[in-house]
């Protein structure tokens, strides 16, 4: 059987559903908004519907108890692959937690791809554990991922790698998938990240058949892990090209769902290549 046959099972309609639901069900997903716990409960329900038993990682910031959501797929021995995305959103004024911020591209797209990976890999045997993480507080200087990375380090967890999904719905003119390579921070993990990105580029060319470009790791939830020495990479089309970044106009109609599906195919190809 073709190792990558599962790529044909990626559902664009699932991706559209999750993006539209997250972007329209609440006016904002700002971490300090009154909707935070309702959104957490919704995301837990989505994991449960796929067949997982999600858990909450609670951390305190700004005088509030805030939540990340985790789900685990067992695998063989060794450290888990952490596949992560942030679920919060924001308006231009970060200090206005109730201002309308649909956050369709940033980052309902990453959440949607993560859920599609959880669904498709649910019953696929893997040689390493796969952990899914949905982080809050990314828009407030990476609160949630910083707290969780510190917790992993405190427990002595040897994560195999951290793969981050952030803003994966707005392509450049050439429809490049942007691959994130660690080029700074802790130099010891740069070479390992470069190898992962080289493998991603090969899979993109030979399996998914899409063009790619390389961007540096920056300004998203893999950074706290990189700073603690973990190996990181991810997909991130970049806010600098997106005219609706942190605006009330970041709505589902601005998302290129064919591009999101390509991002999902490359993510799945990588996970099958690396962990199966």
């Amino acid at each position: 059987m073709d190792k990558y046959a599962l790529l044909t099972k990626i559902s664009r309609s699932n991706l559209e559903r999750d993006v539209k639901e997250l972007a329209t069900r609440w006016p904002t997903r700002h971490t300090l908004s009154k909707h935070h716990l309702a959104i957490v409960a919704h995301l837990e329900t989505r994991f449960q519907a796929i067949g997982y038993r999600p858990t909450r990682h609670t951390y305190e910031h700004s005088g509030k108890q805030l939540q990340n959501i985790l789900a685990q797929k067992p695998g063989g021995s060794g450290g888990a692959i952490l596949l992560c995305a942030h679920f919060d959103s924001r308006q231009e004024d970060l200090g206005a937690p109730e201002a309308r911020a649909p956050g369709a591209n940033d980052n309902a797209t990453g959440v949607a791809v993560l859920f599609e990976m959880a669904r498709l890999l649910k019953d696929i045997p893997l040689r390493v554990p796969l952990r899914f993480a949905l982080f809050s507080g990314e828009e407030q200087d990476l609160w949630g991922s910083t707290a969780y990375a510190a917790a992993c380090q405190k427990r002595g967890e040897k994560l195999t790698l951290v793969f981050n999904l952030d803003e994966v719905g707005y392509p450049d003119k050439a429809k490049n998938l942007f691959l994130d390579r660690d080029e700074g921070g802790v130099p010891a993990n740069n070479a390992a990240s470069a190898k992962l990105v080289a493998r991603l580029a090969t899979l993109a060319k030979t399996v998914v058949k899409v063009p790619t470009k390389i961007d540096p790791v920056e300004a998203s939830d893999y950074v706290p892990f990189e700073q603690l020495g973990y190996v990181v990479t991810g997909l991130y089309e970049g806010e600098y090209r997106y005219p609706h970044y942190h605006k009330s106009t970041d709505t589902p109609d601005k998302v290129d769902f064919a591009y999101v599906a390509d991002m999902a195919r490359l993510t799945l190809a990588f996970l099958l290549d690396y962990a199966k």
Side-chain angles (χ1 to χ4, degrees):
M1 182 178 177
D2 179 3
K3 184 176 184 177
Y4 304 108
L6 197 61
L7 271 65
T8 63
K9 303 297 184 182
I10 287 172
S11 169
R12 175 169 163 170
S13 64
N14 283 354
L15 297 168
E16 291 191 28
R17 176 203 63 209
D18 281 329
V19 169
K20 290 176 181 178
E21 186 165 41
L22 283 172
T24 61
R25 188 164 181 172
W26 301 275
T28 180
R29 299 189 307 280
H30 192 294
T31 302
L32 297 181
S33 80
K34 62 185 178 183
H35 308 291
H36 178 67
L37 290 179
I39 296 164
V40 168
H42 167 76
L43 296 170
E44 288 177 323
T45 299
R46 287 288 295 113
F47 272 126
Q48 290 164 352
I50 299 170
Y52 293 86
R53 294 182 178 179
T55 59
R56 297 186 185 188
H57 169 249
T58 302
Y59 65 98
E60 185 172 343
H61 210 293
S62 300
K64 292 192 174 185
Q65 297 288 308
L66 304 172
Q67 309 292 328
N68 299 317
I69 308 104
L70 288 302
Q72 181 94 359
K73 173 181 168 51
S77 59
I81 295 173
L82 181 68
L83 183 69
C84 61
H86 75 88
F87 67 87
D88 59 316
S89 64
R90 60 168 287 186
Q91 244 300 357
E92 289 176 287
D93 180 2
L94 184 58
E98 305 302 335
R100 184 170 179 267
N105 185 40
D106 185 17
N107 182 39
T109 55
V111 174
V113 171
L114 185 146
F115 277 134
E116 192 67 353
M117 298 304 100
R119 179 183 75 85
L120 290 169
L121 292 169
K122 173 66 174 61
D123 298 315
I124 303 298
L126 300 178
R127 63 178 181 81
V128 295
L130 179 57
R131 186 179 307 164
F132 304 98
L134 293 174
F135 291 127
S136 58
E138 191 271 351
E139 302 293 5
Q140 290 89 0
D141 200 23
L142 315 178
W143 287 355
S145 54
T146 297
Y148 188 67
C152 289
Q153 184 191 49
K154 185 176 181 179
R155 292 192 297 264
E157 286 206 53
K158 299 185 182 301
L159 298 173
T160 295
L161 64 97
V162 176
F163 193 107
N164 186 58
L165 297 161
D166 193 353
E167 291 187 59
V168 292
Y170 188 80
D172 65 1
K173 291 181 179 179
K175 305 277 186 177
N176 286 293
L177 304 194
F178 285 80
L179 318 178
D180 291 0
R181 183 173 64 196
D182 188 0
E183 298 178 352
V186 180
N189 43 20
N190 290 359
S193 178
K195 287 182 180 179
L196 295 178
V197 170
R199 189 58 189 159
L200 275 166
T202 298
L203 291 167
K205 181 178 181 180
T206 62
V207 177
V208 188
K209 302 187 187 311
V210 291
T212 59
K213 284 188 176 180
I214 295 174
D215 269 350
V217 163
E218 60 179 350
S220 193
D221 284 315
Y222 39 25
V223 170
F225 294 92
E226 191 280 337
Q227 292 173 340
L228 294 177
Y230 293 105
V231 177
V232 304
T233 187
L235 303 177
Y236 182 28
E237 37 91 339
E239 71 270 17
Y240 306 110
R241 291 177 287 274
Y242 185 52
H244 307 284
Y245 178 65
H246 291 169
K247 295 180 180 179
S248 62
T249 51
D250 182 8
T251 50
D253 59 298
K254 311 303 191 309
V255 173
D256 184 331
F257 285 102
Y259 184 69
V260 178
D262 281 342
M263 289 284 200
R265 279 189 278 273
L266 182 55
T267 303
L268 183 57
F270 174 79
L271 293 172
L272 291 170
D273 179 76
Y274 194 93
K276 186 166 168 50

